[in-house]
Amino acid sequence: MKHSWKILFMIGMTTLVGCHSNASLNSNLTSSNFINDSFSSSTVSASSSSVAETTNSKLTLLENIDIKKALGVTKEANWSFAMHALGNIETAYSFDFISLISNQELFYTKVGSNLYIEDLLGLRENEDSNLGIDCFGKGLIGIELKYTLPNSDAKETIKDFNIGIEHDADWFYILNNNEEVIEQKNLNEFKNYFNDKLNSRLTRLLVDTASVIPESLAKGLDLRFAVEKLLDLGFVIEINDTSGLVIHLQATTHLFSDLLNDVLEEIIPTEWLQYLPRTDIEYHANQFDISLVFDEQGIFKKYIITNDMDFGITFTIRNLFSCSSHIFSGGTFSITSE
């Protein structure tokens, strides 16, 4: 389990920006002062003992999942378990700075990234790992980076590249178009390689959240502990055990407000923050869900992350300037047993 869940963690780390969503956005907008560190949620109340008791009751169901058995590990000599990872991803930021004195655009930038990954993962016996299994496989990763500046009429610049990947336990091999190994990296080096390419703090924040479960399991922690960490981050949980076990975790506005605080601190100069009298945040879409599915025998079937986030941020100093920013991240990443 040590290496297998590490590979799931890496895939989540390198792909969780979300893919482009064609669904129409929610037209209900929420506007709030950017003063409080968090927003209240009508979905769950931390002070409600009845909610806490219900949640605790649901979490006991997770204790029935034996992760070692869930990944197909048996005492048979030729056991096997295969998984398919698939993600199609897009993120974008824009920042527009307009002078209210001259009514002219002074500066505009838009940066974005598209990422595609497809990976076939196989599990094999390894007595040296924590849970007796190891991971191997082969796949393809493509990244397209786009940026526009210094004004909104400027031509968009696009850079893209594709690489093949081959992995064996904790080692990753980057392949050229002829499938020849050109670089070799361990798990952390490979993760950092793609974080540097994407260069997005929003991506890293979402990835860290989405990888809580795989990372916790890789450290030998149980499933309930991993899920409780997500609840602490601002998720609510639904569990259905009518046919197998379906675990659905959904982020509340608390998570999004903390996320936007971090993003704003990144895109707005620190010295400006103390002088901005008001910042309005519009939530066009705010879906960030994590689902885990096991069948009736407790065998792992799916790990799905659904991401559809679209925020507008505007702040103004009257008669001087107005700044607006748009933050988009959307799509789906999944790991499915074959």
Side-chain angles (χ1 to χ4, degrees):
M1 181 64 187
K2 176 182 178 183
H3 296 313
S4 65
W5 276 106
K6 278 187 177 180
I7 191 72
L8 303 192
F9 171 52
M10 182 285 301
I11 296 297
M13 293 290 279
T14 57
T15 62
L16 208 282
V17 194
C19 74
H20 186 273
S21 172
N22 293 321
S24 59
L25 297 177
N26 188 343
S27 60
N28 296 324
L29 306 183
T30 302
S31 178
S32 62
N33 289 333
F34 190 71
I35 296 176
N36 297 323
D37 288 337
S38 62
F39 298 92
S40 61
S41 169
S42 59
T43 307
V44 61
S45 171
S47 61
S48 172
S49 59
S50 60
V51 170
E53 291 174 2
T54 301
T55 300
N56 187 64
S57 175
K58 293 177 181 178
L59 291 176
T60 57
L61 295 172
L62 305 184
E63 298 171 4
N64 298 326
I65 297 295
D66 185 330
I67 294 299
K68 184 175 180 179
K69 293 180 180 178
L71 291 175
V73 181
T74 71
K75 295 182 179 180
E76 299 175 4
N78 298 315
W79 68 268
S80 64
F81 195 82
M83 293 178 288
H84 184 213
L86 185 65
N88 188 20
I89 298 154
E90 180 180 353
T91 53
Y93 302 88
S94 66
F95 182 79
D96 201 7
F97 185 36
I98 298 173
S99 169
L100 298 181
I101 299 175
S102 62
N103 198 30
Q104 290 184 335
E105 182 181 76
L106 301 180
F107 178 77
Y108 174 87
T109 183
K110 181 178 181 180
V111 295
S113 64
N114 296 330
L115 185 148
Y116 172 83
I117 183 168
E118 183 170 10
D119 198 8
L120 297 177
L121 308 172
L123 301 185
R124 63 191 173 195
E125 187 174 8
N126 182 352
E127 295 180 354
D128 295 329
S129 65
N130 282 346
L131 293 181
I133 58 178
D134 203 348
C135 198
F136 63 97
K138 193 172 185 179
L140 174 71
I141 294 178
I143 298 178
E144 181 183 67
L145 304 176
K146 301 181 289 185
Y147 61 91
T148 303
L149 55 85
N151 56 68
S152 55
D153 294 330
K155 184 179 180 180
E156 184 178 59
T157 300
I158 299 176
K159 296 183 178 181
D160 62 88
F161 68 96
N162 295 280
I163 64 168
I165 55 170
E166 191 169 335
H167 40 89
D168 185 1
D170 282 341
W171 288 98
F172 292 83
Y173 305 91
I174 299 175
L175 314 177
N176 60 18
N177 292 334
N178 296 323
E179 297 193 353
E180 299 168 335
V181 176
I182 56 176
E183 286 189 71
Q184 175 180 326
K185 298 179 182 293
N186 63 31
L187 179 66
N188 288 330
E189 290 172 339
F190 190 75
K191 178 196 70 176
N192 293 334
Y193 174 79
F194 280 98
N195 276 344
D196 291 341
K197 290 291 183 183
L198 294 172
N199 193 28
S200 167
R201 187 177 181 186
L202 174 61
T203 299
R204 293 193 297 271
L205 290 167
L206 293 177
V207 162
D208 288 344
T209 302
S211 55
V212 164
I213 291 177
E215 184 181 28
S216 297
L217 295 174
K219 294 177 179 178
L221 304 173
D222 60 37
L223 182 59
R224 173 168 180 165
F225 178 86
V227 168
E228 286 177 335
K229 289 182 67 177
L230 286 172
L231 297 182
D232 291 340
L233 288 174
F235 281 76
V236 292
I237 188 171
E238 294 179 6
I239 297 179
N240 187 324
D241 63 342
T242 55
S243 179
L245 191 65
V246 179
I247 305 158
H248 181 226
L249 292 143
Q250 184 175 43
T252 63
T253 53
H254 173 82
L255 178 69
F256 295 115
S257 60
D258 288 346
L259 178 65
L260 285 172
N261 272 309
D262 289 335
V263 172
L264 278 175
E265 288 175 2
E266 182 179 62
I267 65 176
I268 302 174
T270 305
E271 60 271 18
W272 290 13
L273 293 174
Q274 59 183 321
Y275 298 113
L276 297 180
R278 177 182 175 83
T279 300
D280 291 328
I281 301 175
E282 295 179 332
Y283 291 76
H284 299 270
N286 59 353
Q287 180 186 11
F288 189 71
D289 297 354
I290 300 174
S291 297
L292 263 171
V293 180
F294 300 88
D295 68 13
E296 293 177 344
Q297 285 72 46
I299 300 298
F300 168 80
K301 302 303 293 181
K302 293 181 182 179
Y303 178 59
I304 305 172
I305 299 162
T306 304
N307 176 25
D308 184 9
M309 297 166 51
D310 194 324
F311 306 124
I313 303 171
T314 303
F315 50 94
T316 302
I317 293 184
R318 185 171 297 181
N319 299 324
L320 289 179
F321 65 82
S322 175
C323 297
S324 62
S325 184
H326 180 235
I327 302 170
F328 169 79
S329 176
T332 301
F333 169 74
S334 65
I335 298 175
T336 307
S337 64
E338 297 291 303

